[in-house]
Amino acid sequence: MSQGLTTTSYALLGLLRFDDATDSSGLTGYELKQRADNTLRFYWVSPAMSQVYSELSRLTRQSYVEAVADTGGGRTTHRYRITQAGRDALQAWLATQQPEFPILKHPVALRLLMGRLGGDKAMASMLQGYIDALAQRRTELDAVRDRLGQREAVRYAAMVADWGLAYYDAERDIVTELLGRLSSDAR
Amino acid sequence: MSQGLTTTSYALLGLLRFDDATDSSGLTGYELKQRADNTLRFYWVSPAMSQVYSELSRLTRQSYVEAVADTGGGRTTHRYRITQAGRDALQAWLATQQPEFPILKHPVALRLLMGRLGGDKAMASMLQGYIDALAQRRTELDAVRDRLGQREAVRYAAMVADWGLAYYDAERDIVTELLGRLSSDAR
DNA sequence: TGTAGCATGTAAGCCGTTACATGATTGA
DNA sequence: TCAATCATGTAACGGCTTACATGCTACA
């Protein structure tokens, strides 16, 4: 009935669309979650396992995805593939809806706002911790970027990864500058 | 019982703490929402009016906030102030919990990832739209920054605003670069 | 033999949104 | 007198998380 899916639904549908372009026989919920953790999590979300399954059943109900039972081993598992209706829906979503502005939930900035209560030293160590965490994330994303290489097939994914890397670098630079301000202002 | 508030609760408590430092008689829910729209929304959230009220009643139940009935006009309104327990709780939160990594929900990056389905031209116009929206946001935040000025009392708020401005600038630069890649790669 | 990874789900619950409802005050 | 703004809430619901429950397979 209601054709309006959530963005997370479309994101997962998009991952299934990528898989569709290969000669794979579909993805299990478990595998889909891994794909999401690899790419989506850097600029969207890492849905919980349970949500992956519930989105998958929702998409199946909408006929945007079809499940093929895989009775190979002892337990029956399912492999999910995007359908033609799903491809159409994804295409339509991309073409019609104009994207919303990004949502940022930045606990570090929020705490810095209340810096008066914590003091310069506490803020400085918090910012340093954030710089470290950024470096860690950057390393993870860099590994993803390396795997993509220069292949034409993943050109857009590579652009998005480069975007993420540049974002982490910019954050590092800005925070480093703020850190300098904290120590030079120290009374 | 459970002293664990959500980050949004602490964020609002923080705004009440700022007000506390002035000679104000507290804030109404409505005013608190306006403060949130002015600062918080750029790096945290803009809670709905209804949520502001429910957080306020939760904070009141926890005795972190006290409401003073204002029976001035025909209708009774309330002004909310942080209590000593609230100040302590906020301080403890700042001191003990280490901040989580920021969460970014970036619909533009998500769509760019699926660029193959949309094509270079559609992606370019989407990115251009994003650059325009960024400029708009930047202008809004710049106005906030101007109002803060160089006053020592709002030094941390100014740092956070500068952070936001630098972030918007970095996004603009990165996206401009991606836009260039799209057109130079055009076949 | 036991643990890690693969694989699938249900249930409860919170956070936050939209929709709805109400009413006062101010200024055009 | 009408609209905008100030002001306060309730109700319904959706999205997403955590906790719980189950069982297979490979390997050390």
Side-chain angles (χ1 to χ4, degrees), chain B residues 25 66-71 76-81:
Chain B
S25 58
E66 58 187 1
V68 177
D70 181 350
T71 35
T76 301
T77 65
H78 293 91
R79 306 208 143 258
Y80 296 88
R81 267 196 234 184

Side-chain angles (χ1 to χ4, degrees), chain B residues 69-110:
Chain B
D70 181 350
T71 35
R75 193 184 206 186
T76 301
T77 65
H78 293 91
R79 306 208 143 258
Y80 296 88
R81 267 196 234 184
I82 192 170
T83 62
Q84 187 55 46
R87 282 185 280 264
D88 293 346
L90 190 59
Q91 193 89 40
W93 174 71
L94 266 177
T96 57
Q97 312 271 287
Q98 79 284 23
E100 316 88 73
F101 198 81
I103 291 171
L104 185 62
K105 289 196 172 191
H106 208 310
V108 180
L110 180 62

Side-chain angles (χ1 to χ4, degrees), chain A:
Chain A
M1 195 78 48
S2 75
Q3 74 281 36
L5 298 175
T6 63
T7 306
T8 299
S9 263
Y10 283 113
L12 294 177
L13 196 55
L15 291 181
L16 288 169
R17 182 70 178 82
F18 284 137
D19 184 69
D20 187 47
T22 69
D23 58 353
S24 123
S25 58
L27 298 176
T28 65
Y30 194 88
E31 287 165 345
L32 185 56
K33 162 72 173 157
Q34 289 177 319
R35 306 281 169 110
D37 283 345
N38 249 310
T39 50
L40 241 44
R41 96 172 135 108
F42 293 101
Y43 42 82
W44 190 248
V45 280
S46 232
M49 242 354 295
S50 66
Q51 200 193 353
V52 171
Y53 287 114
S54 60
E55 294 292 353
L56 239 20
S57 69
R58 181 197 312 225
L59 288 169
T60 304
R61 272 199 309 281
Q62 303 269 152
S63 303
Y64 290 165
V65 150
E66 59 187 1
V68 177
D70 181 350
T71 36
R75 193 185 205 184
T76 302
T77 65
H78 293 91
R79 306 208 142 258
Y80 296 88
R81 268 195 230 182
I82 192 170
T83 62
Q84 187 54 46
R87 283 184 280 264
D88 293 345
L90 190 59
Q91 194 88 39
W93 174 71
L94 266 177
T96 57
Q97 312 271 287
Q98 79 284 22
E100 315 87 74
F101 199 81
I103 291 170
L104 185 62
K105 289 197 172 191
H106 209 310
V108 180
L110 181 62
R111 278 147 195 270
L112 181 59
L113 181 72
M114 307 183 199
R116 185 152 299 271
L117 304 178
D120 278 10
K121 247 162 72 183
M123 289 304 111
S125 95
M126 177 185 74
L127 291 182
Q128 187 56 56
Y130 177 47
I131 289 176
D132 296 343
L134 273 171
Q136 165 82 36
R137 276 276 177 136
R138 212 215 111 100
T139 303
E140 289 161 20
L141 183 53
D142 206 34
V144 171
R145 177 66 187 90
D146 279 349
R147 259 175 279 148
L148 290 173
Q150 301 298 324
R151 281 173 295 144
E152 169 63 20
V154 291
R155 175 168 160 254
Y156 290 98
M159 273 195 261
V160 175
D162 287 340
W163 185 346
L165 291 171
Y167 163 65
Y168 289 143
D169 289 343
E171 278 284 276
R172 183 203 52 213
D173 291 346
I174 300 164
V175 175
T176 302
E177 194 264 323
L178 290 173
L179 216 37
R181 260 208 252 179
L182 276 180
S183 55
S184 74
D185 288 6
R187 274 131 314 191

Side-chain angles (χ1 to χ4, degrees), chain B residues 131-151:
Chain B
I131 288 177
D132 296 343
L134 272 171
Q136 166 81 36
R137 276 276 176 135
R138 211 214 112 101
T139 302
E140 289 162 18
L141 182 54
D142 207 35
V144 171
R145 178 65 187 88
D146 278 349
R147 261 176 277 147
L148 291 172
Q150 300 298 324
R151 281 172 296 144

